[in-house]
Amino acid sequence: MKALLALALAPLLAACSYDPHIMPGFMSTAPPTLADLQPVSLPQAGAELPAVSLAELEDIYRQVLIVTEDPATRLQVLHRLADIEMLQGEEELALTEARAPLFDEAIAAYQSLLQGHSNDPDNNHAKDRLLYQLSKAHELNGENDKSLAVLEQLSAGYPQSKHYVEAKFRLADSYFSSADYPAAERAYAQVIAREDVSAYYRNALYMHGWSQFKQGRYRPAIAAFSNTLDLLVPTDNDLETLGRGERELVLDSFRVLAVAFSYLQGPDTIAAAYRQLGHRHYQHLLYQHLGELYLRQQRYRDSAETYRAFNRSWPGSEHAHEFQISVIETYEAGGFRDLIITEKQHYVESYGVSGDYWANSSTAVKQLITSKLKLFIEELATYHHALGQSLAQSLAPSSALPHFLSAGDYYQLFVSSFANDPRVPEMVFLLAESRWEAGATEAAISAYEQVAYDFPDFPRAADAGYSAIVAYNALLAGAAATADDSSDNEKILRSRIDSQLRYASRFASDARAPLVLNSAAAALLELSEYQLAIIAAATLSHWQPTPGVEIMVPAWLIMAHSHFDTREYLPAEQAYQQALELMTSADTRRGDAVERLAASIYRQAEAAVVAQNYRAAADQFARVIDLAPQSSVRVQAQYDAAGNYMQAGEFARATRLLRDFRRRFSDHPLSVGIATRLVHNYQQLQQWENAAQELDIILATETDPERQRQLLYLAAEHYDKAGNSELAIHRYRSYAHGWPQPPAERFEAMNRLAELYAQSRQPQKRQFWLRKIMATYETAHSPQQAQQEVQQSGHSLYLAAFASSELAELEYQAYLRISIRAPLAKSLSRKKTAMQHALKAYQRTNDYAVAQFSTLATYKMGEIYRALSVDLLESERPGNIDPLALEQYELLLEEQAYPFEEKAIIIHEANARRSWEGIYDEWVQHSF
């Protein structure tokens, strides 16, 4: 029977223990078992237990009570029946909202057991449990005072009961609920004193603090709540690992502590309290909750100061960076913009990647810091940058400088701290902008170029590269304005050129690239870096799409100037021509380009002259006339072209250029010598009259007597060669009359006059000049000086001898023309007179002792005698003479003729004998 009852009641009675989660204020105790009853046998494995209701169970127990007389059994059954009444009341309470006294029977049962079996040892042993259940029944029945009275009885009478702690705790709760905080404090302290680490102990610690707090005893409450937290807060402070109830208890402890601290000296109280109590691993959470409390109360500065207080005390804490964030968020909630900026600056300074905090932080903490650092650094940079720009546009632009500098420092900090962040290119660009606006031009250049060439895919890379060039221009302008050292200026200029060349190469598709490259080429030319300037300008000349003339003209000019300065005159010329083709007629650069073009061609011509390639040189000089007719060098080029054509034997071309030169540039000093050159050319072309005319021109302005003499004589010769006898005679005659010295040229002139007069059939004038030749010679030379004259001026002697022979010839011819006619005496007399004249003339010729004419004169004198002999023999016979007389007459003639014949033989023999002296000319031959 006992086994049956135990088996039937075991599962149900297990539910009779009190669950503190059902009713506030009650905590669970160890559930009663049937171990106190007789041992039972367990059913076979798998056997189903019978389902028994509380009413059925009550009936069973009551039947047992009827049939059993064993006092101990009856007492146990009565205990079980009382518990069943309790369970039935709880069951009905769970099913209804009515406040009917559901536990009266259970109360009566428990009271009966307590009062009716006071002498029963077993009942006394379980009396603390009965009191516990009775107190519970009263409470569930709404009779709190009775419940508390029972609990006081239990705690006072049974201090060793397992229900003692719960009873004390429930009493303390009751005191607390009735605002009897001192009593509650004492009761909770008694629970705590048992050091029973159960839910009662934990809650007692908690409520003990509340009891003190409610009395205004905040400092003791701090210790009590700290003890609660010591018990519950995990060492890693991860509250999420706690159960819901424990977590709420911990959070509420933090909240009430925060209130307590706020009533005292806030964070100073925290510091003071835990200097006394000892440091707690959760201590940062105390500051955190106090800060949050202040924030809810809108005590923004107090909240921020709380977080700062922690960080001052524990700057190396892993929570320090979070508290600084809380400071910032607090000021953000309060709208303290300036303070927000200050605290963000402090965050960046304290927790940046170059600081000790970062170095000593874990990877997880670094990851948390990183996101904030990036955000704050960027915000601070943006703030200072925007403020600087605003101030720069205000009435106090000088105040903008510190902000631009700060902005740049923050951009730089972002870049150096997070080199792999995708926003680094943008930050470097903004760094460059802020440095530029701050006037830190060199730093701006460095940053601009970093953006442009380290991050070419950055959308504004080209803008950055161009901005660097603009910044270099500003540096150069500043250096020029302050008259800095020229070497520094050159260094800046060269750096700018490098940047420009790099830009043009990297960003060739950018519309600004041609302009940049053109500027670089111009600067290279300025620095005399000619080859580099040529390369840069040549690159522009092949640029696609082709830039406009505003780029191409300077590019060709740079190329041209560079080639010119390196003495590469052909490519220089070609480049100048390209530039000129693109220039309008109004282009102010055109004049200089033409001059340079002309100079380039001129230099090529000079090179050809040095190489003695005169024809090529002349052609080059002539090209100056064609391609740059208005250039300053054109005059010299035309003159030199003519000169080199002369050197090359191109006299006609040279002449045309010289004549044109004289016509165009008659006032030019070089025109003075044109006539002389033309004379030479005409001589080479055998255009004698033109040459003579030029000589006349020269003569007209010549003041030197000697030159006048030479020019006059040469003009006479050229007119003579040209066949212009009239002008030749005129010039020879002027010379012969005007220039007695030197004799040789005068004799030539007189001789040529004689010849020209002969050609023009003016014998009288011819004879005049022949006699003039002889007279001039004889005046200047005595016969004794004849031999010396032959040696010193043989040609003059020759001409005098020639003139003498020519005049003798006239006498000879006159002699020959006289015929011997009857009357013989009369004609013979004329003949002899003529013969004497001829002989005298030839003797005079012979006296000059010029072999050529001496043999002639000798021969002619012999012929004169021979001719007289012949003429006598062949003379006319008288017509009225008889034959004898005629015969005698003829004998007489023969006698008369014979001496002359003999004389002729003697003279011819003498002439022939000259051959023995080595003289054998036609006249000697004729004499033979």
Side-chain angles (χ1 to χ4, degrees):
M1 184 64 177
K2 289 181 180 180
L4 176 62
L5 286 173
L7 187 62
L9 296 177
L12 190 59
L13 291 179
C16 291
S17 64
Y18 173 54
D19 184 354
H21 296 293
I22 295 176
M23 292 296 291
F26 285 86
M27 297 299 165
S28 63
T29 60
T33 68
L34 292 182
D36 295 329
L37 301 179
Q38 299 297 324
V40 298
S41 300
L42 293 175
Q44 295 180 355
E48 293 184 2
L49 295 177
V52 182
S53 67
L54 289 175
E56 290 174 332
L57 188 60
E58 183 181 7
D59 288 341
I60 292 172
Y61 273 116
R62 292 196 181 280
Q63 290 176 11
V64 173
L65 190 61
I66 293 173
V67 297
T68 184
E69 294 183 358
D70 179 51
T73 300
R74 288 180 62 83
L75 183 60
Q76 287 187 359
V77 171
L78 288 174
H79 276 249
R80 298 296 184 265
L81 285 171
D83 290 339
I84 289 172
E85 293 293 342
M86 186 72 172
L87 289 173
Q88 286 178 331
E90 290 177 352
E91 190 177 73
E92 289 182 32
L93 182 63
L95 297 175
T96 181
E97 295 181 1
R99 299 300 296 169
L102 301 177
F103 298 93
D104 286 349
E105 292 184 5
I107 290 170
Y110 286 130
Q111 288 177 339
S112 175
L113 285 169
L114 288 167
Q115 296 171 3
H117 300 277
S118 59
N119 296 322
D120 190 326
D122 291 333
N123 191 57
N124 289 335
H125 180 72
K127 197 170 185 178
D128 63 327
R129 193 188 75 80
L130 294 174
L131 290 171
Y132 176 80
Q133 289 293 85
L134 177 60
S135 174
K136 176 184 176 184
H138 279 305
E139 181 175 353
L140 294 175
N141 215 32
E143 298 168 340
N144 290 331
D145 291 341
K146 293 180 178 180
S147 174
L148 289 174
V150 174
L151 287 176
E152 287 178 348
Q153 183 182 354
L154 188 157
S155 62
Y158 302 95
Q160 302 304 318
S161 171
K162 65 179 181 180
H163 299 295
Y164 175 82
V165 171
E166 182 179 355
K168 274 296 181 183
F169 185 83
R170 289 174 60 195
L171 281 171
D173 274 355
S174 176
Y175 298 145
F176 189 88
S177 297
S178 61
D180 188 356
Y181 300 120
E185 179 185 357
R186 290 190 296 272
Y188 286 128
Q190 290 173 332
V191 173
I192 295 169
R194 286 297 182 96
E195 296 182 354
D196 182 4
V197 185
S198 64
Y200 300 115
Y201 178 77
R202 179 187 65 196
N203 287 358
L205 290 173
Y206 170 71
M207 294 305 298
H208 186 244
W210 264 113
S211 300
Q212 293 170 325
F213 180 84
K214 288 293 187 178
Q215 297 175 70
R217 300 178 65 238
Y218 302 123
R219 295 187 187 280
I222 292 171
F225 282 117
S226 296
N227 291 333
T228 304
L229 295 174
D230 291 344
L231 183 65
L232 295 177
V233 177
T235 56
D236 62 358
N237 297 314
D238 186 2
L239 303 186
E240 296 300 320
T241 61
L242 298 175
R244 179 178 178 182
E246 292 176 332
R247 186 168 61 252
E248 288 297 328
L249 197 62
V250 168
L251 292 176
D252 195 59
S253 296
F254 280 126
R255 283 192 289 269
V256 70
L257 280 171
V259 173
F261 293 139
S262 72
Y263 289 165
L264 298 171
Q265 285 79 42
D268 292 341
T269 301
I270 298 176
Y274 289 95
R275 279 196 299 271
Q276 181 179 0
L277 296 174
H279 181 73
R280 299 298 200 270
H281 62 276
Y282 54 80
Q283 198 159 327
H284 67 285
L285 296 175
L286 300 172
Y287 287 88
Q288 177 180 327
H289 282 277
L290 177 59
E292 291 172 351
L293 174 63
Y294 283 143
L295 182 60
R296 289 191 297 273
Q297 295 172 348
Q298 298 185 355
R299 295 170 61 180
Y300 302 111
R301 292 184 181 274
D302 289 337
S303 176
E305 180 56 33
T306 298
Y307 297 124
R308 277 199 294 267
F310 177 84
N311 283 353
R312 283 195 297 270
S313 297
W314 292 280
S317 168
E318 64 178 342
H319 307 290
H321 72 97
E322 296 174 334
F323 275 25
Q324 184 61 26
I325 294 296
S326 297
V327 172
I328 295 168
E329 291 173 345
T330 298
Y331 285 137
E332 286 176 342
F336 299 98
R337 183 179 180 185
D338 292 342
L339 293 175
I340 294 169
I341 295 299
T342 300
E343 295 305 327
K344 287 182 178 179
Q345 290 173 341
H346 181 69
Y347 185 95
V348 171
E349 293 168 0
S350 300
Y351 310 112
V353 299
S354 61
D356 293 339
Y357 189 91
W358 176 275
N360 296 324
S361 295
S362 65
T363 301
V365 170
K366 288 179 179 177
Q367 290 176 347
L368 294 173
I369 296 174
T370 294
S371 61
K372 293 299 182 182
L373 281 175
K374 289 182 178 180
L375 176 63
F376 293 161
I377 292 172
E378 183 176 2
E379 287 177 349
L380 289 168
T382 302
Y383 166 79
H384 284 291
H385 203 163
L387 183 56
Q389 290 174 333
S390 176
L391 291 171
Q393 298 173 1
S394 68
L395 298 178
S398 60
S399 60
L401 177 60
H403 294 285
F404 285 132
L405 292 174
S406 294
D409 291 343
Y410 282 117
Y411 290 130
Q412 181 63 64
L413 181 60
F414 188 102
V415 172
S416 60
S417 299
F418 312 109
N420 297 322
D421 191 278
R423 289 177 298 167
V424 164
E426 179 184 358
M427 292 298 161
V428 179
F429 182 82
L430 292 171
L431 166 63
E433 294 278 87
S434 61
R435 294 303 189 214
W436 169 253
E437 290 163 314
T441 309
E442 293 183 9
I445 290 171
S446 177
Y448 279 132
E449 290 186 336
Q450 183 181 357
V451 175
Y453 307 114
D454 291 352
F455 310 104
D457 295 330
F458 180 59
R460 301 195 67 184
D463 291 339
Y466 191 79
S467 295
I469 296 167
V470 172
Y472 273 120
N473 290 340
L475 274 183
L476 288 170
T482 57
D484 285 347
D485 183 71
S486 60
S487 62
D488 292 337
N489 294 353
E490 181 176 335
K491 182 178 179 181
I492 296 170
L493 181 58
R494 289 184 181 278
S495 296
R496 189 196 70 179
I497 292 170
D498 291 341
S499 187
Q500 289 173 318
L501 294 176
R502 198 175 183 189
Y503 181 91
S505 174
R506 179 64 62 85
F507 305 108
S509 60
D510 189 87
R512 296 165 291 191
L515 182 63
V516 168
L517 184 56
N518 187 68
S519 175
L524 287 167
L525 176 61
E526 180 183 345
L527 293 172
S528 301
E529 295 285 357
Y530 300 117
Q531 294 305 320
L532 291 176
I534 289 169
I535 292 171
T539 301
L540 272 175
S541 70
H542 296 93
W543 201 273
Q544 292 298 326
T546 303
V549 294
E550 69 279 0
I551 298 295
M552 293 309 299
V553 170
W556 284 114
L557 288 175
I558 290 167
M559 217 183 313
H561 294 336
S562 297
H563 281 303
F564 187 90
D565 290 343
T566 53
R567 301 181 181 181
E568 297 171 339
Y569 298 115
L570 177 57
E573 173 201 343
Q574 294 168 342
Y576 282 125
Q577 288 179 331
Q578 291 286 350
L580 286 167
E581 287 178 7
L582 296 174
M583 291 182 191
T584 65
S585 58
D587 196 316
T588 56
R589 297 166 293 184
R590 190 172 187 86
D592 182 65
V594 169
E595 288 293 332
R596 287 288 194 128
L597 170 64
S600 298
I601 301 172
Y602 193 91
R603 296 302 185 196
Q604 294 176 66
E606 288 183 324
V609 172
V610 172
Q612 297 184 352
N613 190 348
Y614 301 115
R615 170 61 184 274
D619 288 344
Q620 293 285 16
F621 283 127
R623 288 176 61 239
V624 174
I625 305 170
D626 295 335
L627 297 177
Q630 303 304 317
S631 65
S632 61
V633 76
R634 176 258 171 85
V635 174
Q636 187 66 50
Q638 183 166 344
Y639 190 82
D640 291 343
N644 280 276
Y645 277 130
M646 290 170 63
Q647 286 284 85
E650 296 280 346
F651 301 110
R653 297 183 70 175
T655 298
R656 286 194 295 273
L657 288 171
L658 290 170
R659 290 175 64 87
D660 180 74
F661 186 99
R662 188 166 60 187
R663 178 179 60 82
R664 291 177 182 272
F665 313 114
S666 58
D667 295 332
H668 195 279
L670 290 175
S671 291
V672 175
I674 293 293
T676 301
R677 289 192 164 206
L678 286 173
V679 168
H680 176 268
N681 291 350
Y682 287 137
Q683 289 172 339
Q684 298 299 320
L685 295 169
Q686 297 186 0
Q687 295 179 5
W688 306 111
E689 185 158 356
N690 289 336
Q693 291 172 352
E694 294 300 325
L695 289 169
D696 285 343
I697 292 173
I698 299 170
L699 180 59
T701 58
E702 184 59 61
T703 58
D704 179 44
E706 176 60 19
R707 283 284 295 156
Q708 291 175 342
R709 180 192 68 77
Q710 293 172 356
L711 292 170
L712 180 59
Y713 187 85
L714 195 57
E717 285 186 321
H718 288 349
Y719 280 125
D720 193 0
K721 289 178 181 179
N724 191 334
S725 300
E726 181 179 356
L727 291 178
I729 289 171
H730 180 270
R731 301 298 184 273
Y732 280 130
R733 188 170 59 240
S734 295
Y735 187 90
H737 288 307
W739 303 96
Q741 297 295 328
E745 282 79 359
R746 187 183 186 199
F747 277 103
E748 291 289 348
M750 292 186 291
N751 180 65
R752 188 55 187 158
L753 282 169
E755 292 173 348
L756 290 172
Y757 281 129
Q759 294 171 6
S760 63
R761 302 185 196 289
Q762 299 183 66
Q764 298 301 321
K765 292 182 178 180
R766 176 175 183 265
Q767 292 171 32
F768 171 82
W769 287 107
L770 289 174
R771 286 191 292 271
K772 188 72 170 176
I773 292 171
M774 294 174 64
T776 300
Y777 183 82
E778 290 171 358
T779 300
H781 303 280
S782 63
Q784 292 78 11
Q785 296 173 316
Q787 185 61 37
Q788 183 181 357
E789 175 61 23
V790 170
Q791 295 174 353
Q792 295 178 353
S793 183
H795 194 60
S796 300
L797 176 61
Y798 172 86
L799 292 178
F802 173 77
S804 177
S805 68
E806 288 294 303
L807 291 171
E809 180 66 18
L810 293 175
E811 296 292 341
Y812 176 71
Q813 292 299 327
Y815 164 72
L816 293 179
R817 285 195 298 272
I818 298 173
S819 300
I820 299 177
R821 298 180 180 277
L824 183 61
K826 183 178 180 180
S827 61
L828 184 58
S829 176
R830 289 201 315 273
K831 188 75 169 180
K832 285 183 176 181
T833 300
M835 183 182 72
Q836 290 301 320
H837 287 305
L839 287 172
K840 183 179 180 181
Y842 279 120
Q843 185 57 53
R844 193 173 181 180
T845 299
N846 193 46
D847 289 342
Y848 286 108
V850 176
Q852 177 182 350
F853 297 106
S854 293
T855 57
L856 168 64
T858 301
Y859 172 79
K860 289 291 186 177
M861 286 190 291
E863 285 298 293
I864 291 172
Y865 284 113
R866 189 180 68 82
L868 183 56
S869 175
V870 171
D871 286 348
L872 284 172
L873 292 176
E874 294 179 354
S875 62
E876 183 180 9
R877 300 297 190 265
N880 54 357
I881 189 169
D882 57 37
L884 181 58
L886 180 59
E887 182 179 356
Q888 290 179 343
Y889 183 79
E890 289 179 352
L891 288 173
L892 180 60
L893 289 175
E894 289 179 0
E895 289 178 359
Q896 289 292 325
Y898 178 75
F900 294 111
E901 183 178 359
E902 286 296 322
K903 187 64 172 177
I905 291 172
I906 292 171
I907 293 173
H908 282 304
E909 284 179 348
N911 204 29
R913 279 195 299 271
R914 285 193 167 102
S915 63
W916 302 347
E917 300 170 4
I919 300 173
Y920 185 79
D921 57 13
E922 62 175 321
W923 307 114
V924 173
Q925 184 180 5
H926 289 319
S927 289
F928 271 114

